[in-house]
Amino acid sequence: MAMAGESSNNNYGDCDGKSHRKVGLVYDETMCKHDTPNGEDHPECPDRIGVIWEKLQLAGVSQRCVVFGGSKAEDKHLQLVHTKDHVSVVKSLSTKKKDYRRNRIASQWNSIYLNGSSSEAAFLAAGSVVELAEKVAEGELDCGYAIVRPPGHHAEPDEAMGFCLFNNVAVAASYLLDERPELGVKKILIVDWDVHHGNGTQKMFWKDPRVLFFSVHRHEHGCFYPAGDDGDYNMVGEGPGEGFNINVPWEQGRCGDADYLAAWDHILIPVAKEFNPDIILLSAGFDAAIGDPLGGCRVTPYGYSVMLKKLMEFAQGKIVLALEGGYNLDSIAKSSLACVQVLLEDKPIQGSSEAYPFESTWRVIQAVRKKLSAYWPSLADVLSSNLIDQKTSTPIIVFSSSDSETEDYADDILDQMSRLNIENHHVDTVSTSWRRDLSKVDVWYASFGSNMWKPRFLCYILGGQVEGMKKVCVGSMDKTPPKQIMWESFPHRLFFGRESSVTWGVGGVAFINPLTNLNDQTHMCLYRITLEQFNDVLFQENGLKVDSDSPLFGLDTLQLVEKKGSIPLASGGWYGNIVCLGKECDIPILTMTCTLSAVEKFKSGEIPLRPPSEAYANTMIRGLVEGGRLSEEEAKAYIDNAASKPL
Ligand code: X5A
Ligand code: ZN
């Protein structure tokens, strides 16, 4: 099979001397031609693979991989898992001259559209996964990612379904086992983290102990697509394949990193150790990603990278990702990039997620472990109550996530916030219900000073004080810890000023200039909290009480700051100026600093610039180091630099 792409694309050896893994990528524009017959919008759209490819190129990672164009699957390989009939029906689509003939075929299947290029794309998608899996199995590549469409995991032996025509991953698995015995692949682990159950793959290996199929999916007791009992945890396989089919069926939406990683740590990873696969094929749908319009779950790029990294400990890292679903273009591009960076092993994984699994998640995990412990002894232990006590109970749903039946993509949070704003306006003016309203909106609070150290920030949420603080915090009314934590850098100037503060005593505290300056970069730790909690942080930062009748910063002000970039509030405190630094996952990133007029006073010397006290600097250093952002030396140098440069 021919190598496609620019010849410069095979320089997988690094110029800086660091060796990283030989990672294969398949991308072929031809697969963009599969589209709806009349150009109607559809979530499984041609741009999906294009945006992923573009992201990998812009990030400079595709250039460090071995890139292949697609290759078409052979009929006999497709027939390892599909009926002869199904293969020939899909093949025949290309010769049909009229749309209505294809539409007739499409209408006999569930959730399928077809055009004149669907057949070619389907053969390419399957063939590309086969080719990539073959190269990884042979050792020519260490691992790889096939950026293909149409997806595959819903496709059953004799029918297309759920946007899938051929079961790409299943074809590749059977090819390795049945057609290439000399490669020595005897056991394959298929992991399916697409938000939907991989019903097709499950069926194809139902009685086959050579393939361990693991699918984690939103199930909702059989109400989520593809509805029914197939995705239930009781479905463990049959005959010689009994015990080699594992379903983790979420009872609810909104599952995120914590839920998925709990399934990894307490089900998949122990079983993978026992099974000891020769290669892993990953049905890598990204529709459980935060922001996905169909999935309604919340896995972050960081979550995907940790899940992938954990799988790379098996089969000497031989792993092949094949794209399945994923319908938010931004989310799938970012998640894909995070995964390829893990495949390249070129830097430690950045980020953290702080939320706990849902109560329902522990219930599901316990049920799965109990059912499967008959086949996998490592699942037999009862999980400790300390562990399962770490949970988040289900919050009130405001931004309801869509599901398969409604397929409503109107999850534009801003849009919803402006609606909220209108609906709640008169309520706010006649009562003090601001807390209830603002508790329904999430923001990222970006901290650049002592709050970068999580235990110090948690004083503002849970109450209390940490080493070096001279004052106790009361905490916020809603004591839920941040739902997520993330690090980013922003083009603002960090500086330290004031003679002393109540909390830290003598020495300057951190500010940023509200104006952007592309020559400066300030590290910030982002906490995902509610707008209600943000107000409580703001109250405490500015020495005010949290039992106020009105918020300092409400939905109207949020809209304004998103437009204007920064707005001073009537708090009179040092941190009463709110700055909007942008958005992440459609959620605004806010920070608090001094006003522009205060910056002028720092510049003129009317208020002194002062380096921070040792206790304050140490708190910042702990934040930067424990958050994985900088080494201790780098953190010290970063603070020294900010404290010594004139404004
Ligand atoms: C591959 C994939 C989803 C089908 C949903 C149909 N299919 N409502 O994510
Ligand atoms: Zn899906």
Side-chain angles (χ1 to χ4, degrees):
M1 290 169 213
M3 231 193 77
E6 308 87 316
S7 54
S8 64
N9 271 338
N10 62 359
N11 58 337
Y12 48 82
D14 234 342
C15 21
D16 59 11
K18 268 186 295 175
S19 76
H20 61 73
R21 287 156 41 93
K22 203 170 165 183
V23 180
L25 286 181
V26 183
Y27 177 70
D28 192 322
E29 278 183 9
T30 316
M31 286 181 269
C32 298
K33 294 195 311 191
H34 164 58
D35 201 351
T36 52
N38 301 309
E40 313 92 284
D41 286 346
H42 192 281
E44 206 287 275
C45 66
D47 279 348
R48 292 175 61 240
I49 56 176
V51 296
I52 293 173
W53 182 241
E54 205 169 285
K55 185 77 161 189
L56 299 180
Q57 281 189 304
L58 285 175
V61 307
S62 56
Q63 296 84 339
R64 303 167 56 208
C65 300
V66 191
V67 179
F68 301 88
S71 51
K72 288 189 186 171
E74 293 176 34
D75 292 12
K76 65 165 192 258
H77 298 157
L78 294 166
Q79 285 169 21
L80 295 169
V81 295
H82 290 292
T83 61
K84 228 177 164 145
D85 240 39
H86 182 65
V87 175
S88 65
V89 170
V90 174
K91 181 169 271 184
S92 76
L93 298 171
S94 53
T95 59
K96 299 257 180 306
K97 298 246 163 7
K98 299 274 187 247
D99 273 348
Y100 72 83
R101 291 195 184 273
R102 280 187 294 266
N103 290 348
R104 260 262 289 281
I105 298 173
S107 68
Q108 287 163 14
W109 288 324
N110 169 339
S111 303
I112 290 290
Y113 64 76
L114 298 168
N115 71 356
S117 300
S118 298
S119 177
E120 189 181 16
F123 277 82
L124 280 172
S128 300
V129 181
V130 168
E131 184 184 13
L132 192 59
E134 174 183 52
K135 290 188 189 308
V136 172
E138 283 169 346
E140 183 183 328
L141 295 168
D142 291 309
C143 55
Y145 177 24
I147 309 161
V148 295
R149 65 182 287 275
H153 71 152
H154 294 307
E156 300 209 333
D158 197 32
E159 69 184 294
M161 178 179 165
F163 319 157
C164 304
L165 297 177
F166 291 137
N167 195 319
N168 310 320
V169 163
V171 175
S174 296
Y175 171 78
L176 295 180
L177 293 168
D178 297 339
E179 297 287 301
R180 302 299 304 276
E182 76 279 14
L183 296 179
V185 176
K186 297 199 168 73
K187 289 179 287 175
I188 300 181
L189 169 62
I190 299 181
V191 174
D192 187 332
W193 73 31
D194 185 283
V195 78
H196 303 98
H197 178 231
N199 56 287
T201 318
Q202 166 169 305
K203 224 165 237 176
M204 287 157 176
F205 302 108
W206 186 243
K207 296 182 179 175
D208 194 337
R210 301 171 304 171
V211 175
L212 171 57
F213 179 59
F214 173 95
S215 178
V216 53
H217 44 268
R218 194 169 160 188
H219 185 61
E220 275 163 36
H221 308 281
C223 295
F224 198 72
Y225 190 88
D229 294 335
D230 281 4
D232 194 86
Y233 62 79
N234 284 313
M235 304 296 276
V236 297
E238 227 177 275
E242 190 177 331
F244 294 90
N245 193 87
I246 304 182
N247 286 321
V248 180
W250 298 139
E251 291 177 7
Q252 59 172 93
R254 301 190 306 286
C255 290
D257 296 355
D259 306 284
Y260 278 80
L261 290 171
W264 253 234
D265 290 345
H266 303 292
I267 303 171
L268 178 56
I269 299 304
V271 171
K273 276 188 191 148
E274 288 190 57
F275 182 63
N276 189 25
D278 299 316
I279 191 170
I280 300 180
L281 304 183
L282 180 54
S283 267
F286 293 107
D287 43 11
I290 185 158
D292 189 276
L294 266 63
C297 288
R298 305 173 165 178
V299 178
T300 68
Y302 166 74
Y304 283 116
S305 58
V306 176
M307 292 196 284
L308 178 55
K309 183 83 203 167
K310 290 188 182 222
L311 292 175
M312 285 172 63
E313 303 300 317
F314 301 95
Q316 302 107 259
K318 285 186 197 153
I319 186 161
V320 176
L321 281 66
L323 181 64
E324 298 279 1
Y327 307 102
N328 176 315
L329 299 183
D330 196 43
S331 306
I332 64 177
K334 283 184 179 159
S335 307
S336 295
L337 174 58
C339 287
V340 176
Q341 283 170 330
V342 171
L343 293 180
L344 282 164
E345 279 188 335
D346 58 352
K347 61 168 194 199
I349 296 167
Q350 299 271 317
S352 66
S353 49
E354 292 303 303
Y356 290 129
F358 287 114
E359 205 173 338
S360 68
T361 293
W362 289 123
R363 185 161 55 240
V364 171
I365 288 176
Q366 285 176 299
V368 174
R369 285 173 60 98
K370 190 166 170 212
K371 179 77 192 174
L372 271 303
S373 61
Y375 316 98
W376 306 100
S378 60
L379 301 183
D381 296 340
V382 175
L383 295 179
S384 88
S385 59
N386 288 342
L387 188 67
I388 61 182
D389 281 347
Q390 300 185 347
K391 59 181 184 245
T392 302
S393 50
T394 304
I396 307 152
I397 307 162
V398 176
F399 300 139
S400 71
S401 40
S402 46
D403 56 58
S404 63
E405 306 321 315
T406 54
E407 285 195 7
D408 131 34
Y409 317 122
D411 72 336
D412 183 337
I413 293 197
L414 242 200
D415 177 30
Q416 301 207 29
M417 282 200 302
S418 42
R419 261 186 281 145
L420 248 183
N421 201 9
I422 296 160
E423 282 165 17
N424 294 323
H425 188 256
H426 90 272
V427 181
D428 268 349
T429 56
V430 297
S431 73
T432 59
S433 62
W434 69 270
R435 286 190 173 274
R436 193 197 56 205
D437 298 333
L438 301 196
S439 71
K440 296 166 184 169
V441 178
D442 278 359
V443 296
W444 293 104
Y445 159 55
S447 60
F448 49 79
S450 64
N451 286 341
M452 289 188 294
W453 190 40
K454 188 179 151 201
R456 190 279 177 265
F457 173 66
L458 285 182
C459 296
Y460 282 141
I461 301 293
L462 302 172
Q465 67 196 120
V466 293
E467 205 180 313
M469 284 171 67
K470 300 189 185 309
K471 206 182 106 187
V472 187
C473 292
V474 294
S476 53
M477 293 265 193
D478 171 1
K479 301 216 174 337
T480 314
K483 300 188 181 102
Q484 252 178 292
I485 300 184
M486 188 165 72
W487 287 84
E488 259 178 63
S489 295
F490 295 92
H492 287 267
R493 169 65 201 282
L494 175 70
F495 65 96
F496 297 93
R498 293 169 61 195
E499 293 282 9
S500 69
S501 64
V502 181
T503 308
W504 300 97
V506 179
V509 288
F511 294 98
I512 58 158
N513 189 329
L515 300 177
T516 57
N517 176 350
L518 296 177
N519 297 320
D520 291 308
Q521 284 295 328
T522 294
H523 297 288
M524 300 199 199
C525 181
L526 279 58
Y527 298 97
R528 186 171 167 175
I529 56 177
T530 68
L531 199 46
E532 182 202 356
Q533 291 176 313
F534 183 75
N535 272 278
D536 283 340
V537 175
L538 203 48
F539 288 137
Q540 295 175 80
E541 278 280 9
N542 290 288
L544 302 168
K545 285 189 168 160
V546 301
D547 60 1
S548 169
D549 284 351
S550 55
L552 271 171
F553 186 82
L555 290 165
D556 43 350
T557 359
L558 177 60
Q559 274 191 334
L560 208 60
V561 82
E562 287 191 54
K563 218 165 65 195
K564 298 199 152 202
S566 93
I567 41 168
L569 303 171
S571 75
W574 283 100
Y575 289 98
N577 189 21
I578 307 302
V579 180
C580 181
L581 299 166
K583 277 186 161 195
E584 183 68 42
C585 311
D586 247 332
I587 295 167
I589 305 169
L590 306 175
T591 192
M592 41 189 93
T593 186
C594 62
T595 58
L596 270 180
S597 62
V599 173
E600 290 312 311
K601 290 178 184 165
F602 281 118
K603 277 186 182 164
S604 70
E606 193 180 323
I607 317 169
L609 290 173
R610 284 274 181 275
S613 68
E614 205 179 309
Y616 189 87
N618 279 340
T619 313
M620 285 182 68
I621 293 167
R622 292 185 84 159
L624 289 160
V625 172
E626 288 173 28
R629 193 59 171 177
L630 297 180
S631 70
E632 190 165 334
E633 292 65 45
E634 288 166 338
K636 282 185 179 141
Y638 168 73
I639 293 168
D640 282 348
N641 177 55
S644 55
K645 265 197 311 189
L647 248 185

